[in-house]
């Protein structure tokens, strides 16, 4: 039995039921149209059915038939997620030009790459490249940060 | 013919587009050569940069990335046995064996020439086949288009993952997400929760960037220490004429197969490569040589995989139906440029389409030259440490999703899609059905309800017309075959 499949299946069933109930209140106009709720309700029903199939088939599978997803170095994955989310938050508050070099340097260093010159060079080149391509050539303004607006 | 000539002159007088094609192909080859980075990811990351460009220039940049990305995987497959893309896994079988024999250069040359031939012929087929198809599709009305969308969805959901149920679930989740926003007939806001930004539907370009690029970056977080270096020596790259002549039948057969497979929605370059490889083996007189360094093996895979590109563009441009993840991203690119793919594209923007076709052939010529002259340098990109590559990808994901609407909301959507995509990959849920459902869902619903308006509410309209009937039956067969097969196998084992 794969726990993830059961968990995902249950979550999808709850979601589909919620969608079904919400969609019941959607309006239908005229006699030929099936209304705004028809498609969401159909999709939700099929999704419930498929989720049930997935849950039951995960019970039926013999143990050991499928190897559990092996040892993932979770620490590194979580570190990467945290860094990325901090980066996005920092872009929102402090803008692109402060956050990006900081994020790149932190990331490169924390993941164990210790050659200073290439790391700094890459950081500068990437920041400059994005600046030139987006702000100068395409004239798309980059986030300035809500602190500076 | 006139269209082709004017296309040629359009391209020749547009140096910016030509430069961008060169840039696109180079970026594509690099992206393709790097294991873990695929053509889809490259196109998704470059797409936001085409936003402010002229349509031809922007779309050629993306085509370059696409073609280069499909081809680039072969370089690392041959030199390192680490295929840069799933499609190149087949190339690695004989390509690496050749490299071990000291024939790395020859293998690279054969791969380049086969990719070039396969790709160029497939674009020619695209050029002559698509106007014909578009003409037929112009006659399509609502029920036909609805059936087409259902067919596209069913085939994609059923073959894109390891498990049929999970593929279908991904497709259904995508369809449910596609209903978010104003409904296509009445304009009633559905599931919006009062969020203004999703009134017009969930923004699918940030979702694509998240699912196809950010999730791959997250995946590479746990693979930081793998370090690779090219050890084999590369001698002469260009094969001699007798050597190449020997490969021609294989290349042409694989090109045909690849183009055909590309046209079928759902089947991509990886399938084309493996099918071409198997066929080349079947046709060969000495099958034992396959797997031990047979030049034909390399040629078959590469011609097949690259021929897939032109084929995959056929349903995209003529019907507005993307057949796989890359073409889904390309569809996003067309829409960013204000072009609606489908039969009208040829009547409304014929000039542009033919300019694009000519430009695509030029992209393949550029790719051929780059491959022959510089593949040994492209192979060096595998030495870039992942610690540097991953943050660059993440920065580009952020900037790209922001730039489309200048909205931080899109960045949040991208990040969420990236995290979800990462876990989907971990637990074998395919990502592409979600994106395709986001595109095809509104089309299916709108056309379904328009059909009913046409038939004043009667469902007869879906089975009394020949095209919808055939397409809907095909969809049912696609969905039922694996289930029947599984059932049959179970009975067999039970009897034993």
């Amino acid at each position: 039995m794969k726990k993830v499949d059961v968990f995902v299946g249950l979550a999808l069933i709850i979601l589909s039921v919620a969608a079904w109930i919400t969609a019941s209140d959607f309006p239908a106009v005229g006699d030929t149209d099936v209304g705004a709720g028809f498609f969401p309700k159909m999709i939700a029903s099929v999704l419930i059915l498929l989720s049930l199939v997935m849950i039951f088939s995960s019970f039926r599978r013999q143990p050991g038939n499928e190897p559990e997803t092996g040892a993932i170095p979770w620490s590194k994955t979580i570190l990467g997620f945290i860094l990325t989310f901090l980066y996005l938050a920092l872009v929102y508050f402090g803008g692109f030009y402060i956050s990006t070099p900081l994020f790149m340097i932190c990331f490169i260093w924390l993941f164990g790459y210790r050659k200073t010159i290439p790391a700094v060079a890459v950081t500068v080149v990437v920041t400059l490249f994005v600046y030139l391509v987006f702000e100068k050539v395409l004239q798309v303004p980059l986030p300035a940060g809500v602190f500076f607006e | 013919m006139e269209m082709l000539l004017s296309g040629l002159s359009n391209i020749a007088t547009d140096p910016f587009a030509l430069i961008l094609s060169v840039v696109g192909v180079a970026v594509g080859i690099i992206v393709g050569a790097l294991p873990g980075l695929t053509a889809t990811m490259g196109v998704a990351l470059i797409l936001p940069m085409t936003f402010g460009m002229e349509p031809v220039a922007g779309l050629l940049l993306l085509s370059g990335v696409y073609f280069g990305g499909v081809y680039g995987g072969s370089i690392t497959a041959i030199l390192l046995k680490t295929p840069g893309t799933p499609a190149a896994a087949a190339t690695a079988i004989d390509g690496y064996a050749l490299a071990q024999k000291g024939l790395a250069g020859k293998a690279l040359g054969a791969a380049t020439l086969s990719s070039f031939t396969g790709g160029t012929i497939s674009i020619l087929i695209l050029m002559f086949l698509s106007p014909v198809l578009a003409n037929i599709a112009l006659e399509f009305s609502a029920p036909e288009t609805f059936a087409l969308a259902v067919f596209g969805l069913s085939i994609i959901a059923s073959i894109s993952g390891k498990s049929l149920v999970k593929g279908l679930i991904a497709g259904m989740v995508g369809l449910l997400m596609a209903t978010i926003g104003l409904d296509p007939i009445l304009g009633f806001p559905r599931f919006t929760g009062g969020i203004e930004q999703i009134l017009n539907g969930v923004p699918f370009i940030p979702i694509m960037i998240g699912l196809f690029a950010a999730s791959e970056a997250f995946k590479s977080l746990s693979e930081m220490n793998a370090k690779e270096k090219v050890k084999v020596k590369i001698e002469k790259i260009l094969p001699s004429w007798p050597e190449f002549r020997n490969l021609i039948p294989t290349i042409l057969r694989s090109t045909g197969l690849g183009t055909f497979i590309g046209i079928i929605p759902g089947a991509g370059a990886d399938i084309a490569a493996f099918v071409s490889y198997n066929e080349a083996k079947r046709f060969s007189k000495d099958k034992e040589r396959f797997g031990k360094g047979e030049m034909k093996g390399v040629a078959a895979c590469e011609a097949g995989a690259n021929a897939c590109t032109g084929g995959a563009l056929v349903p995209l441009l003529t019907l507005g139906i993307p057949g796989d993840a890359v073409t889904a991203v390309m569809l996003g690119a067309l829409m960013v440029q204000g072009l609606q793919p489908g039969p009208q594209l040829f009547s409304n923007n014929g000039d542009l389409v033919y300019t694009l076709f000519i430009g695509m052939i030029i992209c393949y010529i550029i790719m051929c030259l780059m491959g022959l002259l510089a593949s040994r340098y492209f192979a060096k990109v595998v030495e870039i440490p992942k610690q540097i590559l991953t943050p660059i990808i993440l920065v580009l994901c952020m900037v790209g999703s922001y730039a489309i609407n200048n909205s931080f909301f899109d960045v949040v959507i991208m990040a969420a899609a990236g995290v979800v995509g990462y876990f989907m990959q971990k637990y074998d849920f395919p990502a592409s059905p979600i994106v395709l459902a986001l595109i095809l869902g509104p089309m299916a619903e709108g056309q379904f309800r328009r059909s009913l308006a046409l038939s004043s509410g009667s469902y007869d309209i879906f089975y009394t017309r020949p095209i919808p009937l055939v397409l809907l039956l095909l969809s049912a067969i696609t969905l039922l075959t694996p289930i029947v097969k599984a059932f049959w196998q179970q009975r067999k084992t039970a009897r034993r």
Side-chain angles (χ1 to χ4, degrees):
Chain A
M1 173 185 139
K2 277 177 113 184
K3 279 190 199 136
V4 182
D5 287 5
V6 178
F7 178 74
V8 171
L10 289 175
L12 287 175
I13 290 174
I14 295 170
L15 182 86
S16 308
V17 171
W20 208 94
I21 294 169
T22 318
S24 310
D25 295 336
F26 291 169
V29 181
D31 355 297
T32 59
D33 189 34
V34 288
F38 180 75
F39 258 73
K41 280 198 271 186
M42 289 294 276
I43 296 163
S45 317
V46 178
L47 197 50
I48 292 173
L49 203 76
L50 287 169
S51 305
L52 287 174
V53 170
M54 180 169 74
I55 292 172
F56 282 117
S57 62
S58 77
F59 277 113
R60 255 199 349 214
R61 207 169 287 153
Q62 279 101 22
N65 208 357
E66 232 169 274
E68 281 294 311
T69 351
I72 318 156
W74 274 110
S75 57
K76 287 214 160 167
T77 310
I78 291 169
L79 175 68
F81 277 136
I82 293 174
L83 275 178
T84 310
F85 292 130
L86 282 179
Y87 169 54
L88 297 183
L90 199 62
V91 171
Y92 181 73
F93 289 112
F96 177 83
Y97 295 103
I98 296 176
S99 328
T100 302
L102 204 62
F103 166 69
M104 296 233 5
I105 291 286
C106 288
F107 191 107
I108 293 170
W109 197 78
L110 283 173
F111 275 88
Y113 184 84
R114 293 291 147 83
K115 288 181 199 153
T116 318
I117 295 167
V120 172
V122 168
T123 305
V124 171
V125 168
V126 169
T127 314
L128 264 179
F129 170 80
V130 173
Y131 164 73
L132 285 176
V133 169
F134 284 90
E135 295 244 8
K136 287 288 145 187
V137 180
L138 303 174
Q139 305 190 327
V140 178
L142 293 168
V146 286
F147 282 168
F148 303 103
E149 270 170 7
Chain B
M1 200 62 218
E2 249 170 75
M3 291 280 220
L4 289 182
L5 286 177
S6 84
L8 194 61
S9 71
N10 283 347
I11 276 286
T13 52
D14 194 349
F16 187 58
L18 284 176
I19 293 169
L20 282 181
S21 313
V22 176
V23 173
V25 173
V27 170
I29 296 179
I30 291 171
V31 166
L34 284 163
L37 273 63
T38 58
T40 315
M41 180 189 200
V43 179
L45 281 179
I46 303 286
L47 184 149
M49 300 184 196
T50 64
F51 188 57
M53 294 178 189
E54 290 288 306
V56 170
L59 292 171
L60 281 184
L61 173 64
L62 292 175
S63 309
V65 177
Y66 177 19
F67 302 160
V70 173
Y71 157 75
S74 69
I75 298 177
T76 33
I78 290 168
L79 297 177
L80 289 162
K81 208 184 180 177
T82 38
T85 54
T91 313
I93 305 170
D94 279 284
Y96 188 65
L98 280 167
Q100 293 281 288
K101 286 187 193 163
L103 293 169
K106 283 266 162 62
L108 284 174
T112 309
L113 289 175
S114 319
S115 298
F116 165 69
T117 321
T120 311
I121 294 177
S122 80
I123 299 293
L124 288 172
I125 296 175
L126 165 74
M127 207 144 88
F128 293 105
L129 187 65
S130 47
V132 182
L133 253 176
N135 254 336
I136 299 170
L138 266 180
E139 309 288 315
F140 281 15
S141 119
E144 281 84 5
T145 320
F146 163 72
L148 207 58
V150 171
F151 176 63
L153 273 170
S154 68
I155 202 160
I156 289 149
S158 52
I159 67 170
S160 58
K162 286 183 195 157
S163 135
L164 172 72
V165 180
K166 290 186 174 179
L168 290 174
I169 286 181
M172 282 295 151
V173 170
L175 280 178
L176 198 58
M177 281 165 68
T179 62
I180 296 174
L182 298 179
D183 105 83
I185 305 290
L186 305 170
F188 177 79
R190 299 187 291 196
F191 307 118
T192 53
I195 304 169
E196 247 175 70
Q197 286 96 329
I198 54 176
L199 269 185
N200 288 321
V202 281
F204 74 86
I205 293 177
I207 291 188
M208 286 191 305
I209 297 175
L211 285 179
F212 297 139
S215 74
E216 293 290 337
F218 289 146
K219 194 176 137 206
S220 73
L221 290 170
S222 59
E223 305 159 351
M224 283 296 170
N225 298 322
K227 231 185 164 185
E228 316 231 37
K229 216 168 173 139
V230 179
K231 290 189 194 86
V232 284
K233 254 187 79 183
I234 305 164
E235 10 55 76
K236 191 169 160 281
I237 280 184
L238 209 64
S240 64
W241 170 241
E243 279 172 320
F244 184 67
R245 196 176 50 198
N246 208 6
L247 297 176
I248 289 177
T250 310
I251 293 177
L252 291 181
R253 181 175 344 102
S254 309
T255 302
L257 279 170
T259 312
F260 179 70
I261 291 172
I263 293 174
I264 303 172
D270 41 349
I271 296 175
F274 276 100
V275 171
S276 303
Y277 183 81
N278 283 334
E279 286 306 302
K281 193 172 170 182
R282 216 163 57 83
F283 270 87
S284 165
K285 284 190 195 85
D286 39 354
K287 298 179 173 51
E288 285 76 41
R289 290 188 58 188
F290 279 82
K292 296 184 188 118
E294 168 64 67
M295 206 68 88
K296 279 181 191 158
V298 174
C301 302
E302 284 307 303
N306 283 277
C308 215
T309 57
L313 289 168
V314 172
L316 174 73
L317 294 176
T318 57
L319 308 170
I321 301 235
D324 56 8
V326 201
T327 39
V329 186
M330 292 292 280
L331 180 118
L334 285 161
M335 285 167 42
V336 159
Q337 295 288 354
L339 299 164
Q340 182 63 47
Q344 281 87 11
L345 187 68
F346 286 80
S347 30
N348 298 346
N349 304 87
D351 197 34
L352 181 129
V353 173
Y354 282 94
T355 311
L356 268 182
F357 288 161
I358 301 283
M360 285 174 178
I361 291 178
I362 294 174
C363 280
Y364 265 115
I365 295 171
I366 296 168
M367 190 193 87
C368 185
L369 293 175
M370 277 188 187
L372 291 178
L373 296 173
S375 45
R376 67 190 73 201
Y377 306 109
F378 281 117
K380 286 238 184 295
V381 296
V382 293
E383 290 169 30
I384 302 174
K386 284 228 163 91
Q387 289 100 320
I388 287 179
L389 210 56
T390 308
I392 296 179
I393 294 169
L394 289 169
V395 167
L396 290 177
C397 287
M398 195 287 292
V399 177
S401 49
Y402 179 84
I404 298 158
N405 278 322
N406 292 336
S407 127
F408 210 78
F409 179 78
D410 286 353
V411 177
V412 175
I413 297 266
M414 179 281 294
V419 175
V420 171
Y422 169 78
F423 286 104
M424 284 177 64
Q425 269 196 2
K426 271 245 108 68
Y427 300 112
D428 294 335
F429 288 91
S432 39
I434 292 195
V435 171
L436 290 150
L438 279 178
I439 293 165
L440 295 176
M443 181 168 152
E445 180 177 10
Q447 301 296 350
F448 177 79
R449 289 166 69 182
R450 234 158 267 145
S451 312
L452 287 183
L454 281 176
S455 68
S456 42
S458 157
Y459 288 87
D460 293 350
I461 193 165
F462 298 114
Y463 54 82
T464 47
R465 290 171 173 233
I467 296 173
L469 179 69
V470 169
L471 285 171
L472 291 175
L473 279 178
L474 279 176
S475 321
I477 293 169
T478 316
L479 290 176
L480 291 177
T481 318
I483 299 171
V484 174
K485 229 191 219 164
F487 182 72
W488 208 247
Q489 251 155 15
Q490 233 163 39
R491 274 189 54 178
K492 237 190 201 165
T493 45
R495 215 177 280 161
R496 232 178 267 158

